[in-house]
Amino acid sequence: MEETKVKNKRLERKEETRRRILEVAKELFLKHGYDEVSIRKIADKLAISPTTIYLYYKDKGDVIYALHQEGFKSLAMQFDVLRNVDEPFERLKAMGRIYIKFALDNPDFYELMFIMKEPIDFVNRSCASEWEEGGAAFGALVNTVADCQNKGYFSSIELHAMALYIWSTIHGICSLKLQGHLDHVVKEHLPNQENTSTLESAFNTLISVIKGIK
Amino acid sequence: MEETKVKNKRLERKEETRRRILEVAKELFLKHGYDEVSIRKIADKLAISPTTIYLYYKDKGDVIYALHQEGFKSLAMQFDVLRNVDEPFERLKAMGRIYIKFALDNPDFYELMFIMKEPIDFVNRSCASEWEEGGAAFGALVNTVADCQNKGYFSSIELHAMALYIWSTIHGICSLKLQGHLDHVVKEHLPNQENTSTLESAFNTLISVIKGIK
DNA sequence: TTAAAAATATTAACACTGTTAATTATATTT
DNA sequence: AAATATAATTAACAGTGTTAATATTTTTAA
């Protein structure tokens, strides 16, 4: 009976080391951005050998994927307050605002979660069909859109097409902003406009557009 | 008078080498994707030394930027047929379809032009204010939107906000698709739907949505 | 308690990357 | 033909992800 206890102790320690590696990876990631996260730098900060990390994560993509998952958990937490918003269209609006705020507050995480290819390729390779975190996020949007339709909003449009369309618009504006593709357009075509207000005006346009659909 | 002729000859040769480097860079880029384009591989294919490339391009970002510019020229050429479409809303629709087709046909170029940070950072650093190719593309959209408004379409919405909103939606759906973020969502929430039809249905949703705005 | 076994961590190395300084080869001008 | 300007090269630096072989530590068995 002792041997299982010891084995558990070992598994715990192993899990703890895994966690510590991820913690440092996350710290470097948030402080210096993705490009600055190298296996060697993570190892240096932990005062371990670079190769040790490969005993806990298959490769760098695996580490990145773990951060990717953390991001989705974090976003889900932000979404948690939506349970207090009963009116579906208000909930949809709040959802959009939280999503945008998350993107602006955590640009590196957003890049990891919705822009970069590597982590999502890892998902598509590993877990063939189910992917809880990602499915839940889009599922929450679909549910809210369905609730809106039950209240008469944009009920003429197919549910999933509508959800995807909303996500596309908000992701589009966030990704253009975060990747630096708005700076020039704003400078040339929308002077005397502040940085964040461009996002807001695009979001408000979306809201007022879909609000009118019967 | 001979010396200027010689100097011109030299400049021509220099420009020719610059062009050949870019040609190979583009070939590798289209064949193997961005990650596989290294200075050394370009040099190998040209049977020259890697460092020679640095005599023609400041750094790798400069090469990437040159391809970035090629992409914008190519897109502008695709847009050229729009001159034959008189009705503004039809032109807007055609514009969207061409944009989406360009993205699907040239995923690597699209990534370079509208997703990656590096080339547009290069733009924002180098040419402080004017950037013809990019400005022209968005300008074309703004003009078409303005023409639509003159015909009574979505005239209640501010011009630039509307243009940015349309771009965001179409870029959003393209970027989600190209970066692999739709695969999972489609598999889970929209089975029995084909790959490209997801894009089309989102685009059609956008069109039918904005068509109804007064 | 000590010897064997298993788990964990490390060193050394490979094959790459972008990039620069110093050097050599080539072409042009005097 | 000699001097000069231009072009291209070699060698090297500092970094990357990753693997195989080796050493160290921890656990198990005698």
Side-chain angles (χ1 to χ4, degrees), chain A residues 138-165:
Chain A
F138 189 71
L141 174 60
V142 170
N143 287 338
T144 298
V145 171
D147 290 348
C148 285
Q149 294 191 324
N150 285 334
K151 289 267 176 183
Y153 291 99
F154 36 81
S155 51
S156 63
I157 296 168
E158 199 278 324
L159 172 61
H160 296 93
M162 188 69 197
L164 184 55
Y165 155 77

Side-chain angles (χ1 to χ4, degrees), chain A residues 113-116 120-121 124 131 134 138 160-161 163-165 167-168 171, chain B residues 104 169-191 193-203:
Chain A
M113 293 159 70
F114 297 113
I115 295 175
M116 284 174 56
I120 198 72
D121 280 352
N124 291 332
W131 175 46
F138 189 71
H160 296 93
L164 184 55
Y165 155 77
W167 181 29
S168 292
H171 163 71
Chain B
L104 295 177
T169 307
I170 297 184
H171 163 71
I173 189 73
C174 288
S175 95
L176 287 174
K177 167 70 187 145
L178 293 186
Q179 302 294 95
H181 296 272
L182 282 189
D183 301 354
H184 205 277
V185 166
V186 169
K187 219 184 288 174
E188 190 159 334
H189 291 90
L190 313 149
Q193 183 167 88
E194 287 209 21
N195 222 339
T196 55
S197 73
T198 308
L199 278 201
E200 276 174 33
S201 100
F203 177 69

Side-chain angles (χ1 to χ4, degrees), chain A:
Chain A
M1 299 304 111
E2 267 301 304
E3 77 180 35
T4 63
K5 261 193 183 174
V6 171
K7 271 189 179 169
N8 281 346
K9 206 91 186 176
R10 245 216 321 259
L11 274 174
E12 266 177 43
R13 270 217 312 260
K14 192 141 187 167
E15 203 48 53
E16 167 67 14
T17 317
R18 238 185 99 93
R19 208 192 49 72
R20 279 176 53 218
I21 292 171
L22 195 64
E23 190 182 346
V24 169
K26 185 181 170 184
E27 184 192 332
L28 290 177
F29 178 72
L30 290 175
K31 199 183 289 176
H32 304 110
Y34 173 74
D35 290 336
E36 289 300 312
V37 182
S38 87
I39 297 290
R40 278 174 176 83
K41 282 180 186 165
I42 299 170
D44 279 0
K45 201 155 187 94
L46 284 163
I48 61 172
S49 163
T51 52
T52 301
I53 293 175
Y54 286 86
L55 301 173
Y56 295 88
Y57 292 93
K58 187 176 141 288
D59 53 23
K60 195 187 173 182
D62 199 359
V63 178
I64 295 302
Y65 168 71
L67 287 178
H68 173 267
Q69 289 296 79
E70 278 223 357
F72 271 92
K73 275 182 201 145
S74 173
L75 178 60
M77 279 178 60
Q78 305 296 311
F79 275 164
D80 215 45
V81 302
L82 294 173
R83 293 184 303 136
N84 302 322
V85 187
D86 281 343
E87 210 287 304
F89 196 77
E90 285 302 317
R91 191 160 73 247
L92 186 62
K93 278 200 278 185
M95 208 169 178
R97 287 209 191 87
I98 290 171
Y99 187 99
I100 291 173
K101 183 170 163 48
F102 178 86
L104 294 176
D105 289 349
N106 314 278
D108 291 302
F109 266 116
Y110 191 87
E111 197 172 344
L112 216 54
M113 293 159 70
F114 297 113
I115 295 175
M116 284 174 56
K117 282 165 146 170
E118 208 172 326
I120 198 72
D121 280 352
F122 197 95
V123 171
N124 291 332
R125 273 200 308 272
S126 344
C127 40
S129 63
E130 89 285 1
W131 175 46
E132 218 174 325
E133 291 81 359
F138 189 71
L141 174 60
V142 170
N143 287 338
T144 298
V145 171
D147 290 348
C148 285
Q149 294 191 324
N150 285 334
K151 289 267 176 183
Y153 291 99
F154 36 81
S155 51
S156 63
I157 296 168
E158 199 278 324
L159 172 61
H160 296 93
M162 188 69 197
L164 184 55
Y165 155 77
I166 293 172
W167 181 29
S168 292
T169 308
I170 298 185
H171 163 71
I173 188 73
C174 287
S175 95
L176 287 174
K177 168 69 187 146
L178 292 186
Q179 303 293 96
H181 296 272
L182 282 188
D183 301 355
H184 204 276
V185 166
V186 169
K187 219 184 287 175
E188 191 160 332
H189 290 91
L190 315 148
N192 63 351
Q193 183 168 90
E194 287 210 21
N195 224 337
T196 56
S197 74
T198 308
L199 279 201
E200 277 174 34
S201 100
F203 178 69
N204 291 332
T205 304
L206 169 66
I207 294 300
S208 69
V209 160
I210 64 177
K211 197 173 192 171
I213 311 173
K214 282 294 167 298

Side-chain angles (χ1 to χ4, degrees), chain B residues 27-95:
Chain B
E27 183 192 333
L28 290 177
F29 177 72
L30 290 175
K31 198 182 291 175
H32 303 109
Y34 173 74
D35 290 337
E36 290 300 312
V37 182
S38 86
I39 298 291
R40 278 174 175 84
K41 282 179 186 165
I42 299 169
D44 279 1
K45 202 157 187 90
L46 284 162
I48 61 171
S49 162
T51 51
T52 302
I53 293 175
Y54 287 86
L55 300 173
Y56 296 87
Y57 292 93
K58 188 176 141 287
D59 53 24
K60 193 187 173 183
D62 199 359
V63 178
I64 295 302
Y65 168 71
L67 287 177
H68 174 267
Q69 289 296 80
E70 277 222 358
F72 271 92
K73 273 183 203 144
S74 173
L75 177 59
M77 278 178 60
Q78 305 297 311
F79 276 163
D80 215 46
V81 300
L82 294 173
R83 293 184 305 137
N84 303 324
V85 186
D86 281 343
E87 210 287 304
F89 195 79
E90 285 302 319
R91 191 161 73 245
L92 186 63
K93 280 200 279 186
M95 209 169 177

Side-chain angles (χ1 to χ4, degrees), chain B residues 96-105 170 173-174 199 203:
Chain B
R97 287 210 192 85
I98 290 171
Y99 186 98
I100 291 173
K101 183 170 164 49
F102 178 86
L104 295 177
D105 288 350
I170 297 184
I173 189 73
C174 288
L199 278 201
F203 177 69

